[in-house]
Amino acid sequence: MGEVAQRPLDRALEGWASGSLEAGLRAALSVLEVQKESALALLACSYLGGKLGDPAGFADGLRAAAERATDAGQLPLAIVAGALSRELGLDPAPIFDAAAAAYGKGSARLKRQAPPALPGGAVKPASVPNSLAGKALIERVEKAVRASAEELLTAHGHGPLSPAPLFSSLDPPALRSFLEIFEPRVMPAGAPVVEEKTFGGDAFVVAHGELEVTRHGAVDADPVHLARLGAGALVGEMALLSRAPRSATVVTAAPALLLTASKQALDVAVTKNPELGREFAEHCRRRMLDNLVKASPILRSVSPLERAELVRRFSIRAFEQGERIIQQGHAPDGLFLIASGEVAVVHQDEAAESTVLARLGPGETVGEVALVLRRPAIAEVVANHPTVTLLLPAERFLEMARAHPKVLVDLYELAVGRDQETAAAAEIEAADLDDSILV
Ligand code: CMP
């Protein structure tokens, strides 16, 4: 889609999101009149037209928008069209049936590498004056939707499609029922989708627009930009699977159309379709590793080539909330890199008084003081939330240190610094205790 045509579509979504439906409709119409094949313009005109006029007159428009989106490789947009039909009281079955048949596992249309959809040229939008409103606006929209739907429904293709991540792991009947769990959500630019460190169970798929993913981490740390995601991307799935707080903040960079699914509905779908669960888990594992590499000073200090080799030495170890990861006075199982969740580092003095020395999150390391300085753990480490770590077993630490001496130097510096901090904290505790005895 061309640059010039893109901006009115953003305006269409902004109007839709803010409840200025006529303004949104005028913007979408200005595109549809010059680009009959624009799935998003047709979808917005049909839905907003159906909201403001008679929904029955826009059923074909939504169906044609879904078919166009399907052919253009935009399955999430086709699902939005189905969900919007349902919302307008129309029958969504033809849309969901067609989408499931095209993208379900085993579909004859699915090819590993389908040719990418050709972008449309830049087209000047049609002039739609602000004075066009009410019945006159609906009539003109009906005409444009009819013309577009007629053309698209006859031209509906059977060309090859690339598999849709996650969705194409399901065969058509399973995909058909999975498609029904999603609800559409339109959002203006700059709106929060999920907020780091909060709890939430919904997951989202981007149907149109762009999302910015950022991690703020500690209060005084600089935010780390993690990703910019576009159509087809999945977000919010990590908290759902790990049960940890949200790992990042996600904000719309431009007006967006999202699909949302609740944790309960996703849990049911995953139980029914183990393949879907495996795809979810693999997706999360990749993102967790990606984030760990971006956040961990230890991993970042080695070259990307070395890093992949280094990460392969670790295995995943998950802990439930409240579970002990390291026991004070004992040798730890190894070196832990926190991938998601949060741990508390707690020191217990001789009088069995506990002091929380730190709370550590993704990218931080625990277990290095005991391993590097070769002595029992000076504090206990407990999971504050469900926590996922990468573990390098103690017996393989030396071998890793030989292969990556730079990592050993970094760990040594970290260990010495933390050991001093803990000793200082213990001294303060002891002094406090002495004072209290004197008093
Ligand atoms: P969740 O932890 O539930 O909430 C924040 C979301 O940001 C997270 O799920 C992922 O969907 C997304 N996210 C986290 N890290 C990345 C990344 N490296 N790339 C893309 N998306 C990410």
Side-chain angles (χ1 to χ4, degrees):
M1 202 167 297
E3 262 278 274
V4 180
Q6 190 75 35
R7 268 180 244 132
L9 284 179
D10 279 352
R11 282 211 311 279
L13 292 181
E14 288 279 352
W16 179 352
S18 66
S20 309
L21 302 193
E22 285 203 341
L25 194 50
R26 280 191 291 270
L29 178 64
S30 74
V31 178
L32 189 63
E33 285 189 339
V34 291
Q35 275 191 310
K36 284 192 195 138
E37 72 288 3
S38 165
L40 183 59
L42 179 57
L43 178 134
C45 281
S46 303
Y47 174 68
L48 297 175
K51 275 292 249 200
L52 296 170
D54 174 15
F58 294 96
D60 277 354
L62 284 168
R63 196 159 60 86
E67 291 200 352
R68 172 68 188 149
T70 297
D71 291 347
Q74 299 170 351
L75 174 62
L77 202 56
I79 305 171
V80 169
L84 291 175
S85 302
R86 186 177 55 207
E87 196 193 309
L88 288 177
L90 302 167
D91 179 14
I95 293 179
F96 288 144
D97 288 346
Y103 280 95
K105 191 161 82 184
S107 154
R109 293 183 68 183
L110 290 184
K111 301 277 177 294
R112 197 157 298 212
Q113 206 69 62
L118 290 176
V123 182
K124 194 167 176 301
S127 155
V128 180
N130 286 347
S131 56
L132 185 68
K135 200 157 169 286
L137 172 61
I138 298 295
E139 277 169 11
R140 190 163 147 188
V141 171
E142 270 173 350
K143 191 161 157 250
V145 166
R146 216 175 304 122
S148 167
E150 267 168 23
E151 188 172 304
L152 292 179
L153 289 173
T154 43
H156 174 47
H158 300 280
L161 300 171
S162 294
L166 209 68
F167 295 101
S168 295
S169 66
L170 300 173
D171 57 26
L175 178 57
R176 173 70 179 76
S177 62
F178 184 53
L179 298 184
E180 302 241 19
I181 73 173
F182 291 95
E183 294 291 340
R185 186 182 296 179
V186 59
M187 301 190 82
V193 180
V194 301
E195 287 188 52
E196 187 175 341
K197 299 205 168 116
T198 61
F199 285 90
D202 289 356
F204 307 81
V205 178
V206 184
H208 174 86
E210 288 197 351
L211 306 181
E212 201 67 62
V213 186
T214 314
R215 171 179 284 161
H216 293 90
V219 185
D220 50 350
D222 289 336
V224 180
H225 175 259
L226 294 174
R228 195 169 173 116
L229 303 172
L234 175 67
V235 285
E237 77 298 348
M238 291 172 72
L240 198 127
L241 276 196
S242 65
R243 290 170 293 118
R246 297 289 193 190
S247 61
T249 291
V250 182
V251 176
T252 52
L257 252 182
L258 306 179
L259 287 168
T260 81
S262 70
K263 175 172 165 47
Q264 291 91 315
L266 282 166
D267 279 347
V268 171
V270 165
T271 311
K272 272 200 270 180
N273 305 288
E275 181 59 26
L276 190 64
R278 276 193 290 277
E279 286 238 347
F280 256 121
E282 180 50 30
H283 187 89
C284 285
R285 206 184 71 88
R286 272 199 308 269
R287 280 192 172 160
M288 220 144 56
L289 284 182
D290 183 34
N291 292 356
L292 192 51
V293 166
K294 286 188 178 128
S296 160
I298 300 294
L299 295 181
R300 245 184 333 187
S301 73
V302 298
S303 72
L305 212 67
E306 245 189 293
R307 204 177 288 157
E309 196 277 332
L310 178 58
V311 167
R312 270 198 297 276
R313 293 172 182 268
F314 288 75
S315 56
I316 290 183
R317 172 91 67 96
F319 297 89
E320 290 301 326
Q321 182 170 20
E323 201 176 338
R324 189 164 56 201
I325 299 169
I326 293 175
Q327 188 176 4
Q328 184 175 333
H330 289 72
D333 291 350
L335 178 71
F336 296 88
L337 301 185
I338 303 168
S340 76
E342 186 187 89
V343 304
V345 182
V346 185
H347 177 74
Q348 209 172 64
D349 64 17
E350 278 147 23
E353 292 271 343
S354 292
T355 311
V356 177
L357 298 178
R359 289 180 204 283
L360 305 175
E364 303 271 10
T365 309
V366 288
E368 78 295 333
V369 179
L371 274 175
V372 174
L373 305 181
R374 301 194 62 79
R375 61 158 111 109
I378 50 178
E380 167 167 293
V381 179
V382 183
N384 269 350
H385 301 298
T387 295
V388 179
T389 66
L390 283 191
L391 167 66
L392 176 73
E395 60 277 13
R396 301 194 57 196
F397 183 75
L398 196 60
E399 181 189 307
M400 181 284 294
R402 271 204 202 100
H404 303 278
K406 167 91 180 66
V407 173
L408 182 62
V409 173
D410 289 349
L411 286 173
Y412 180 76
E413 280 176 5
L414 185 67
V416 169
R418 282 186 171 169
D419 187 46
Q420 280 167 354
E421 275 171 28
T422 310
E427 264 171 39
I428 292 167
E429 270 172 46
D432 284 351
L433 207 63
D434 289 348
D435 287 350
S436 63
I437 290 166
L438 283 176
V439 172

